[in-house]
Amino acid sequence: MSALKILIIPGSTRAGSHNARLAAAAAYQFVQAGADITRISLADFPLPIYDADLEAASGVPREAINLKRMIGAHDGVLLVTPEYNGSVPPLLSNAIAWLSRVDEPPEGRGAVFRSRPFALAAASENRFGGARALAALRSMLSACNATVIPTQLALAFADKAYNDLDRLKQPADITALDALVRQLIETAQTTM
């Protein structure tokens, strides 16, 4: 059996992002667990702000279709989100909005969310670790009929959480990330 394919998408493109660093730490944990990892940047899939009039006039942007196909080529997805004003950042929210509009036969609109499990993580310098963004993202994905695994990671005090190799330092954080990794792998294996 070939290795499980996991896609990791940080919801931030900022240089030095705590969430991009958490995505790197997660990639390491997935590799240790035997998964085949792809980590992408949403900067490689530039999308206009979702607008129904734009969609009616021009259709779904090619970048949204390409992102949907990238997700579709993987058995599971980890979304790593920053928290902006207590919610999901516009970059990630906009990507999800466009993904929900992709309708490629033989699949129906939004099928990319229903056919594979999603895991959620967030990193923040505050003590809540992006928990409000995780709740908002879980709600958003549930509205798209996605399977979101119960285990999630809200990494608090992220400015002090990593070593020089972008791996987590604290045993409790490592254990929490490992639980998320194992649950996404187990869920993806049962849906293959």
Side-chain angles (χ1 to χ4, degrees), residues 37-186:
I37 296 306
T38 305
R39 188 165 38 127
I40 64 169
S41 171
L42 289 175
D44 296 329
F45 301 88
L47 293 165
I49 294 172
Y50 179 75
D51 178 333
D53 291 336
L54 175 64
E55 180 184 7
S58 306
V60 174
R62 172 62 44 198
E63 292 82 1
I65 295 167
N66 291 342
L67 181 56
K68 178 259 179 194
R69 289 176 180 167
M70 174 66 75
I71 293 170
H74 291 80
D75 303 306
V77 179
L78 170 61
L79 298 176
V80 186
T81 185
E83 182 175 283
Y84 289 5
N85 300 316
S87 193
V88 180
L91 177 69
L92 185 54
S93 178
N94 190 57
I96 292 169
W98 277 116
L99 284 168
S100 73
R101 306 302 298 168
V102 177
D103 187 3
E104 281 190 304
E107 301 173 326
R109 182 174 285 155
V112 72
F113 293 109
R114 295 186 297 275
S115 53
R116 70 204 27 80
F118 287 76
L120 307 179
S124 174
E125 291 183 11
N126 69 39
R127 64 185 169 125
F128 301 113
R132 293 174 298 180
L134 290 173
L137 184 55
R138 182 174 295 275
S139 177
M140 188 181 296
L141 291 171
S142 294
C144 295
N145 295 308
T147 298
V148 183
I149 65 168
T151 302
Q152 62 184 25
L153 174 61
L155 181 66
F157 309 113
D159 53 325
K160 299 172 184 71
Y162 308 100
N163 66 21
D164 293 341
L165 299 174
D166 280 339
R167 297 199 187 120
L168 296 173
K169 295 190 295 189
Q170 299 302 318
D173 295 336
I174 295 167
T175 299
L177 179 57
D178 187 54
L180 179 148
V181 165
R182 277 189 270 115
Q183 189 171 57
L184 182 59
I185 288 173
E186 290 167 6

